[in-house]
Amino acid sequence: MNSLKSHIALILALISILISIFLFRLFNLIMNEYQQNILNNYSIVIVSEKEIKNLDIKDISKIEKIDITNKLQKIKNRFKNIDFSQIKMPYFYKLKLKYLPSPKKLNEIEAVLKSYPYIKRVLTYSSSQTKIYNLLMMLKLTSKLFMGIIAVLGFLLIIKQLEVWKLEHNERMYIMELFGAPFWFRGAALFKIAFLDSIISLIFTTGIIFYLINSYLFKAVINDLNIVLNLSLEKEIGLLIIISISISFISSVIVVIGRNK
């Protein structure tokens, strides 16, 4: 019964760590995709007295000219008594950025744009952009804190389990040590147990992951965010396999080394 409890304790600890790592990586992927989606739809609008081909601002990825022909025609139709041929119309441009800037960086970009004498107006929509940026940063911080708390709790469970393992296998390893058994042979039983527990943990974790990403709620959230989630399950599961086996192996080594001390 005690042996079963010790197995369950380690398996639960491993599952909590693996799930927290996967959720952290998944949440970061979703946030990055969502941030890129916002960036693709965000632009700074400027009004210029002359045509602009290029701006010496490294934060700008693309300059797109806004076609005002249709809107201008509507104005001409409405105000037929005005001779628009005598009016020099300004040029309107959309500036695409390479990344989603912080409020401070956005103010800096706005100041640089206003320093050009031919640029008469700059529209950054800073109020909405600042709210979005702050929300994204808060969500990223929350995800890091969540992963940190779960990981710490999981490692504390594993440390506690190491103490149990020391008591359970101390006598057996001592006898084998007296007979001159090498390090790897003394810890062979522990390594097998740890490997088995890591495999069981991976099976449960994989099941939880597949249930999560195929759930209606998860798909609805992704659809509402209007993003395409480029999630490679093979890569994620492979990473979790490495992490799970590494944690179990290192735990076993610590127990065997602790016996030597």
Side-chain angles (χ1 to χ4, degrees):
M1 181 60 70
N2 289 334
S3 177
L4 178 61
K5 287 182 179 179
S6 66
H7 279 287
I8 293 176
L10 180 61
I11 289 171
L12 289 177
L14 282 172
I15 290 175
S16 67
I17 292 174
L18 296 178
I19 290 295
S20 66
I21 291 173
F22 174 77
L23 289 178
F24 175 75
R25 289 175 58 83
L26 176 63
F27 190 78
N28 267 354
L29 179 60
I30 292 174
M31 292 305 297
N32 289 336
E33 293 289 348
Y34 183 61
Q35 186 171 319
Q36 185 60 45
N37 188 39
I38 293 174
L39 180 60
N40 292 339
N41 291 284
Y42 175 75
S43 60
I44 297 173
V45 177
I46 61 172
V47 181
S48 173
E49 290 182 337
K50 70 173 187 177
E51 286 195 76
I52 298 175
K53 298 297 183 182
N54 184 44
L55 288 171
D56 190 20
I57 302 176
K58 62 180 181 180
D59 307 290
I60 297 175
S61 62
K62 189 195 299 185
I63 301 175
E64 297 179 358
K65 188 175 181 179
I66 300 175
D67 187 5
I68 61 170
T69 304
N70 292 333
K71 291 183 178 180
L72 184 59
Q73 187 59 47
K74 290 180 180 179
I75 295 174
K76 288 180 179 180
N77 294 335
R78 185 175 180 182
F79 301 97
K80 295 182 178 180
N81 59 325
I82 299 176
D83 185 8
F84 284 91
S85 62
Q86 302 299 320
I87 301 174
K88 186 179 187 311
M89 300 300 296
Y91 300 92
F92 297 83
Y93 294 92
K94 290 194 298 184
L95 308 181
K96 294 290 185 179
L97 302 180
K98 295 179 180 178
Y99 58 90
L100 193 65
S102 65
K104 180 181 178 182
K105 187 62 181 177
L106 187 60
N107 289 333
E108 292 176 359
I109 295 173
E110 182 179 4
V112 173
L113 287 171
K114 287 182 176 179
S115 67
Y116 287 85
Y118 49 84
I119 295 179
K120 296 306 177 182
R121 191 170 183 188
V122 178
L123 300 175
T124 60
Y125 309 100
S126 58
S127 179
S128 299
Q129 195 275 342
T130 297
K131 290 178 182 178
I132 294 173
Y133 181 87
N134 289 338
L135 177 61
L136 289 175
M137 293 303 104
M138 185 186 71
L139 290 174
K140 284 188 175 183
L141 177 61
T142 302
S143 71
K144 290 179 181 178
L145 289 175
F146 170 77
M147 180 192 173
I149 292 172
I150 298 298
V152 168
L153 291 176
F155 278 115
L156 288 176
L157 286 173
I158 290 177
I159 291 173
K160 188 67 176 177
Q161 187 56 40
L162 292 179
E163 298 298 326
V164 176
W165 278 11
K166 282 184 181 180
L167 295 175
E168 289 182 350
H169 299 276
N170 188 58
E171 184 178 352
R172 181 186 60 79
M173 288 190 294
Y174 175 69
I175 294 173
M176 295 179 72
E177 185 179 349
L178 290 177
F179 282 94
F183 172 84
W184 63 269
F185 193 75
R186 295 199 304 272
L190 277 178
F191 295 147
K192 289 179 181 178
I193 293 172
F195 181 76
L196 178 62
D197 287 350
S198 66
I199 295 300
I200 294 174
S201 302
L202 280 167
I203 292 173
F204 277 103
T205 302
T206 303
I208 293 171
I209 290 173
F210 272 96
Y211 174 79
L212 172 65
I213 64 175
N214 289 297
S215 66
Y216 172 79
L217 179 60
F218 180 78
K219 291 180 179 179
V221 170
I222 297 301
N223 185 60
D224 289 341
L225 292 175
N226 194 28
I227 61 174
V228 178
L229 192 61
N230 297 314
L231 177 66
S232 173
L233 278 179
E234 294 80 4
K235 179 182 177 181
E236 297 301 323
I237 297 300
L239 176 64
L240 294 181
I241 289 174
I242 295 173
I243 293 173
S244 179
I245 294 177
S246 297
I247 291 175
S248 299
F249 178 76
I250 292 172
S251 301
S252 303
V253 170
I254 291 175
V255 173
V256 178
I257 293 176
R259 170 64 193 88
N260 292 335
K261 295 181 180 179

